[in-house]
Structure formats: structure tokens, C-alpha cells
Amino acid sequence: MASEQMKHVALLLLVLNFCMYVIVLGIGSWSMNRAIDHGFIIGPGFNLPAHFSPIYFPMGNAATGFLVTFALIAGVVGVASAIVGLNHVRTWTGDSLPSAASAATISWTLTLLAMGFACKEIQLSIRNARLRTMEAFLIILSATQLLYIAAIHGASSFRRT
């Protein structure tokens, strides 16, 4: 009975995390596209600017490039983790738990890394509303992904008895 309840909790967290990772990917993709379109123009006869950075973003602050890069990586791995997790919730056996747990843990650690850059960006101020939204989603995702990992591991202890 408890295992079945944990399955529903895990499924709810899985769907929530999937939607939030897709939103992070959307905002991160917009930011990357804007940086590519409005970044430095370097061609023949042009010299590099004095403070050139390969991850220069015209919006935000010095942490924005790192935040967007790692948020995109965490988002892609998070979506892949949700797909693996959906397979685990569908079968709900001990055989599918290791792959779902390891994918979720890798996704969580990358989300924590991106959340660290989000915290640095918050500390430095000067950012637009879309970046604030992505920061909030990354901070929330770091907690909900951990809860998802706890839910699938908690259910495994109920299934063994």
C-alpha cells in the first residue's frame, strides 16, 4: 500500500520536474540565441575587444553565461532523467530502479551546479525577468529533484518487505 502511494508521489514529482526542465530549456535557449545574435561581431580586420569572453551575454551580469550554459546542460539531462524515470514508474520494479536513480542523481547534481551560478547571479544583481524566472526554477528544481530521488528510494524499501 505504501509503495503504491510512493509511486503516485514519484509520478507527480516526475511530471512536475519534466515541465520545469522544459521551461528552463526554453528560457536558456532564448538566452543563448540572444547572446549569439547580439554578441561580439568578430571578422576579418576586427580586433578582439579588450575584455573578450567567449560566453559573453548582452543581458544579465558576469555570471549569466555560466548560468545559461549549465542550465541548458542540466535541462537536457533532466529531461532525459524524466524519460528514464517514466519507464521506472511504469514498471515499478527493482530492476529499473538503478537506472532511474542514477539518472536522477546526475540530473540533480547538474541542477545544483546551475543553481550555484543562479545564486551568484542573484548576488550580482542586474538581470532581466526571464533570467530571474530561470533562477527561480533552478532553485525549485534542486529541491523537487531531491524529493523525487527520495521518493523512488523510499518506495524500494517498502517493496522488499
Side-chain angles (χ1 to χ4, degrees):
M1 183 70 170
S3 176
E4 195 64 29
Q5 291 173 344
M6 292 302 277
K7 180 179 180 178
H8 295 302
V9 170
L11 182 62
L12 175 71
L13 287 169
L14 187 65
V15 170
L16 176 68
N17 288 346
F18 178 78
C19 293
M20 289 174 54
Y21 276 122
V22 168
I23 291 170
V24 166
L25 279 174
I27 296 171
S29 299
W30 169 84
S31 299
M32 187 66 73
N33 185 47
R34 184 163 169 92
I36 291 170
D37 288 345
H38 301 291
F40 291 118
I41 299 172
I42 302 170
F46 289 109
N47 293 327
L48 287 174
H51 300 290
F52 175 72
S53 171
I55 55 172
Y56 168 75
F57 279 71
M59 72 294 222
N61 53 42
T64 303
F66 297 105
L67 169 68
V68 171
T69 302
F70 285 103
L72 284 172
I73 294 169
V76 168
V77 174
V79 168
S81 167
I83 292 169
V84 172
L86 187 61
N87 181 51
H88 172 63
V89 170
R90 186 181 57 83
T91 60
W92 203 245
T93 63
D95 295 335
S96 62
L97 176 64
S99 60
S102 60
T105 304
I106 291 169
S107 171
W108 179 60
T109 55
L110 288 171
T111 304
L112 284 178
L113 182 62
M115 185 200 71
F117 286 116
C119 291
K120 184 63 178 176
E121 180 153 324
I122 291 169
Q123 179 190 11
L124 294 175
S125 310
I126 310 172
R127 59 205 194 278
N128 65 18
R130 289 185 180 127
L131 293 175
R132 280 189 219 121
T133 303
M134 187 165 63
E135 294 161 5
F137 272 87
L138 286 169
I139 292 168
I140 294 167
L141 267 169
S142 65
T144 58
Q145 188 72 8
L146 179 62
L147 289 175
Y148 167 71
I149 294 169
I152 61 175
H153 279 296
S156 68
S157 66
F158 288 120
R159 280 182 266 162
R160 290 188 192 146
T161 59

